[in-house]
């Protein structure tokens, strides 16, 4: 069974040029007919230019459109894969648990805590080889964002789409986040790692129970503190413009802070470690060192192999048709005229 994929699907929008060219041709044809009627009798004009073909301009347009269409397909570069193969990989299973509570909008760390978390996770992914990864988002409750996968490009796409509106219940519940992240691991033989990014505020329950579950499953946890202990307000934005800051019931501006002790407790009880997330390079080095100390596990995955680019065929067709279009003249071809294939009137 053949499988198709497109290397550069963004170029499909260029196909919109084809109907525009067709419309321009029809407008030009209408304008020519109108001017010819103003100049004189159409039958008389045909007799004055007996070699002019009424079909050739249409043929030239069709050939040109087909050539341009083939050129666009060459840019898109269709690929065909026909072979399924089992690929052996060696690595660990990693689940990123990203805090998406409103407090992560605080800008005490640039550009804000949530965007900083995304940058850190993205940089960690860039350093991975063949490890499997998953993503969990959490605030007052936990939300599965991406199941375990080896497709890093898809993981980054889902990561960038994360925002504070994904979870309706606000607050920060670290327990449910740890429970959901631990449920992602489907292979008991694989080394397991949860990388939790948060400001450490915990307003939930079930914290100790989640830690016990993690211990039983032999899951290691690295926690990354995002924010500052001095803290900062939570901006309220409308159309990207700050209109104020979040206030408490007494009308006082809420100052959200980093609570590293909570994150250190999690890491210590899960045989992991804590690192401050302000310096991205330091975080990457710390995580890389932690991964180096984990035992890598062999696992297999099925994937379609031998995808071959097909752009050269469409490029060849495009050049042939466009070259043919240049050779076509708008006057009648003598031997075709004799055959009268297109029912053109003979003068």
């Amino acid at each position: 069974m053949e499988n198709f994929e497109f290397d550069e699907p963004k170029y499909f929008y260029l196909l919109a040029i084809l109907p525009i060219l067709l419309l321009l041709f029809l407008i030009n044809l209408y304008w020519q007919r109108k001017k010819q009627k103003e100049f004189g009798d159409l039958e008389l004009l045909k007799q004055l230019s007996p070699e002019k073909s009424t079909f050739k301009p249409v043929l030239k347009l069709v050939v040109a459109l087909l050539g341009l269409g083939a050129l666009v397909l060459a840019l898109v570069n269709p690929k065909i894969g026909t072979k399924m193969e089992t690929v052996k990989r060696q690595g660990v299973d990693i689940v990123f648990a990203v805090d998406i509570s409103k407090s992560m909008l605080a800008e005490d760390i640039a550009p804000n805590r949530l965007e900083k978390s995304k940058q850190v996770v993205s940089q960690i992914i860039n350093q991975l080889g063949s490890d499997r990864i998953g993503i969990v988002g959490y605030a007052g409750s936990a939300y599965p964002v991406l199941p375990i996968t080896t497709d890093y490009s898809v993981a980054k796409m889902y990561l960038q789409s994360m925002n504070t509106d994904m979870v309706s219940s606000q607050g920060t519940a670290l327990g449910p986040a740890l429970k959901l992240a631990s449920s992602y691991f489907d292979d008991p033989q694989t080394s397991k790692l949860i990388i939790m990014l948060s400001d450490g505020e915990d307003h939930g329950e079930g914290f100790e129970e989640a830690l016990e579950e993690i211990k039983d499953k032999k899951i290691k946890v690295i926690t990354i503190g995002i924010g500052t202990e001095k803290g900062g307000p939570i901006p309220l934005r409308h159309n990207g413009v700050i209109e104020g800051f979040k206030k408490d019931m007494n009308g006082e501006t809420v100052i959200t802070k980093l609570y590293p002790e909570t994150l250190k407790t999690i890491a210590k009880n899960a045989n992991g470690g804590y690192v401050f997330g302000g310096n991205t390079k330091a975080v990457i080095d710390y995580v890389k060192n932690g991964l180096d100390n984990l035992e890598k596990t062999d696992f297999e995955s099925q994937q379609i192999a031998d995808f071959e680019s097909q752009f050269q065929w469409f490029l060849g067709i495009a050049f042939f048709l466009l070259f043919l279009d240049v050779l076509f003249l708008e006057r009648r071809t003598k031997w075709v005229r004799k055959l009268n294939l297109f029912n053109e009137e003979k003068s």
Side-chain angles (χ1 to χ4, degrees):
M1 180 179 176
E2 293 188 346
N3 294 271
F4 297 89
E5 69 174 27
F6 300 106
D7 196 31
E8 296 289 345
K10 61 185 178 182
Y11 290 116
F12 270 126
Y13 76 91
L14 292 175
L15 291 173
I17 297 173
L18 304 186
I20 294 174
L21 291 176
L22 178 59
L23 180 62
L24 291 175
F25 174 81
L26 293 175
I27 292 173
N28 181 61
L29 188 63
Y30 172 78
W31 178 83
Q32 285 183 356
R33 289 291 178 90
K34 185 179 178 182
K35 290 297 180 182
Q36 286 173 355
K37 285 182 179 180
E38 292 177 359
F39 182 76
D41 183 77
L42 290 179
E43 292 301 321
L44 180 61
L45 290 174
K46 285 182 180 180
Q47 293 178 18
L48 292 175
S49 53
E51 297 300 319
K52 184 175 177 58
S53 172
T54 56
F55 175 77
K56 283 289 189 66
V58 177
L59 180 61
K60 282 178 62 67
L61 175 69
V62 171
V63 172
L65 292 179
L66 289 174
L68 291 173
L71 191 59
V72 171
L73 290 175
L75 290 172
V76 171
N77 188 17
K79 291 184 175 181
I80 299 177
T82 57
K83 179 183 175 184
M84 289 292 294
E85 68 175 16
T86 300
V87 180
K88 288 189 175 181
R89 299 176 182 270
Q90 188 180 67
V92 303
D93 285 351
I94 305 169
V95 176
F96 295 96
V98 182
D99 190 344
I100 53 175
S101 60
K102 294 294 185 184
S103 64
M104 295 298 285
L105 295 176
E107 298 175 350
D108 54 341
I109 186 168
N112 63 38
R113 295 178 185 178
L114 180 56
E115 291 304 317
K116 183 65 175 180
S117 298
K118 292 180 182 180
Q119 291 174 10
V120 169
V121 173
S122 183
Q123 289 300 316
I124 292 173
I125 292 174
N126 288 342
Q127 302 301 313
L128 301 178
S130 55
D131 306 290
R132 300 196 303 173
I133 60 175
I135 302 175
V136 167
Y138 65 95
S141 59
Y143 177 82
V145 177
L146 180 71
I148 288 288
T149 181
T150 54
D151 193 332
Y152 295 166
S153 60
V154 169
K156 287 183 179 181
M157 181 181 69
Y158 275 85
L159 174 68
Q160 293 306 316
S161 69
M162 295 180 72
N163 59 74
T164 57
D165 296 323
M166 292 179 69
V167 180
S168 57
S169 57
Q170 284 304 310
T172 307
L174 300 176
L178 291 170
K179 274 191 172 184
L180 179 59
S182 66
S183 71
Y184 268 46
F185 302 107
D186 54 7
D187 187 348
Q189 304 302 319
T190 305
S191 296
K192 307 168 188 66
L193 173 65
I194 294 175
I195 300 178
M196 172 170 273
L197 299 95
S198 176
D199 52 25
E201 288 186 331
D202 182 27
H203 307 290
E205 298 178 354
F207 185 85
E208 293 78 10
E209 183 183 341
L211 282 177
E212 287 300 321
E213 189 175 326
I214 284 172
K215 283 183 183 179
D216 292 340
K217 292 183 177 179
K218 297 180 180 179
I219 301 171
K220 183 176 180 178
V221 180
I222 292 177
T223 55
I224 302 173
I226 306 294
T228 63
E229 293 185 51
K230 180 181 178 182
I234 302 172
L236 302 175
R237 295 179 181 272
H238 181 70
N239 295 329
V241 179
I242 296 178
E243 294 187 336
F245 297 93
K246 185 176 180 181
K247 299 183 183 298
D248 59 19
M249 295 179 63
N250 299 319
E252 298 292 329
T253 299
V254 175
I255 301 297
T256 174
K257 300 178 181 180
L258 169 66
Y259 293 90
E261 293 306 318
T262 305
L263 298 174
K264 288 177 182 177
T265 300
I266 293 173
K268 183 178 179 181
N269 283 275
N271 194 31
Y274 167 82
V275 60
F276 173 61
N279 186 323
T280 303
K281 185 179 184 304
V283 174
I284 302 303
D285 292 341
Y286 187 87
V287 172
K288 190 173 184 297
N289 183 61
L291 287 172
D292 290 340
N293 292 327
L294 284 175
E295 182 181 354
K296 305 296 186 295
T297 307
D298 291 327
F299 58 91
E300 297 179 344
S301 63
Q302 289 263 322
Q303 67 178 34
I304 298 170
D306 294 337
F307 270 106
E308 295 184 357
S309 295
Q310 306 297 317
F311 75 92
Q312 64 274 11
W313 300 103
F314 295 98
L315 193 61
I317 292 170
F319 281 135
F320 172 75
L321 290 174
L322 293 175
F323 179 71
L324 198 63
D325 183 72
V326 172
L327 293 181
F328 280 146
L329 300 177
E330 293 196 3
R331 65 173 182 264
R332 296 177 183 178
T333 308
K334 290 183 179 179
W335 65 271
V336 174
R337 185 181 176 187
K338 290 179 181 178
L339 292 175
N340 197 22
L341 292 175
F342 310 117
N343 295 320
E344 294 182 339
E345 293 183 5
K346 297 180 181 180
S347 57

